[in-house]
Amino acid sequence: QSALTQPASVSGSPGQSITISCTGTSRDIGTYNIVSWYQQHPGGAPKLIIYEVTKRPSGISYRFSGSRSGNTASLTISGLQAEDAADYYCWSYSVSGTLVYGTGTKVTVL
Amino acid sequence: EVQLLESGGGRVQPGGSLRLSCAASGFTFRSYAMSWVRQAAGKGPEWVSGISGGGGTTYYADSVRGRFTISRDNSKDMVYVQMDSLRAEDTAIYYCAKGVESIRYYYGMDVWGQGTTVTVSS
């Protein structure tokens, strides 16, 4: 079962910025700077867009940025574009030595 | 081109076994940790198991520990997961994923295969 809580949905108009939160506990996000974010379009495999809280893999747009404060991590998408419409998942390393994952957020571009 | 290709999925009865394989190409395989991640229909992706680049360290989710065994053959650029005592709740698409570094699979997975489907049903 998911251990990290995300809003079920977030929406925005093209060009706007949106932020997706990912709330964990002191056993995961609150202790480790090991949070990653994945984007998934319908029928496709997950795609890494942020790792180690703030790092972007090669080829990922600067419009995606990550942060962490306390037990909550956040993903911000600036300059929202139609192709950003997808499901987004956060993952965090935990004290159990395993990865815990978020409930997922559906992003809609209005 | 960096690529991962899974195989071995199928339908199996509860209590049965399957072995999934993942063929890697386009990168120095032994230099990266690898993971298996599964996704049940309508659910988010769930990390299942990870292995370090050298193969000496393995990691498992609580839900599969004792039933699944991950391994790799760096001479063949292959990673495997042996799944025993399968349950209905193991039904999912299983993805092979490449880590961003050699030891710590959990830092991030930047290359994914297309997935192979496992169905556990009588």
Side-chain angles (χ1 to χ4, degrees), chain A residues 38 40 48 51-52 89 97, chain B residues 39 44 60 105-107 109 112:
Chain A
Y38 295 84
Q40 188 175 31
L48 181 67
Y51 67 103
E52 292 183 57
Y89 297 93
Chain B
Q39 188 167 23
Y60 298 94
Y105 74 92
Y106 43 82
Y107 270 66
M109 298 161 209
W112 295 63

Side-chain angles (χ1 to χ4, degrees), chain A residues 45-46, chain B residues 3-7 20-25 27 29 33-39 48-49 51 70-72 77-81 93-99 109-116:
Chain B
Q3 227 174 4
L4 298 172
L5 184 62
E6 303 93 339
S7 60
L20 306 183
S21 302
C22 172
S25 59
F27 63 99
F29 182 70
M34 298 294 294
S35 283
W36 285 95
V37 178
R38 69 185 181 186
Q39 188 167 23
V48 171
S49 183
I51 186 168
I70 192 171
S71 61
R72 64 191 294 162
D77 291 356
M78 298 285 295
V79 62
Y80 310 94
V81 61
I93 297 172
Y94 283 73
Y95 295 99
C96 168
K98 168 189 167 290
M109 298 161 209
D110 60 352
V111 180
W112 295 63
Q114 87 292 343
T116 187

Side-chain angles (χ1 to χ4, degrees), chain A residues 1 33-36 38 40 43-48 50-52 57 89 91 93 96-99 101-103, chain B residues 35 37 39 42-47 59-62 65 95 100-101 105-114:
Chain A
Q1 68 207 49
N33 280 319
I34 309 175
V35 177
S36 52
Y38 295 84
Q40 188 175 31
K47 178 182 180 181
L48 181 67
I50 293 288
Y51 67 103
E52 292 183 57
Y89 297 93
W91 285 16
Y93 185 67
S96 64
T98 61
L99 279 170
Y101 55 98
T103 49
Chain B
S35 283
V37 178
Q39 188 167 23
K43 304 290 187 181
E46 174 193 11
W47 171 80
Y59 312 84
Y60 298 94
D62 291 344
R65 187 176 291 114
Y95 295 99
V100 298
E101 62 146 69
Y105 74 92
Y106 43 82
Y107 270 66
M109 298 161 209
D110 60 352
V111 180
W112 295 63
Q114 87 292 343

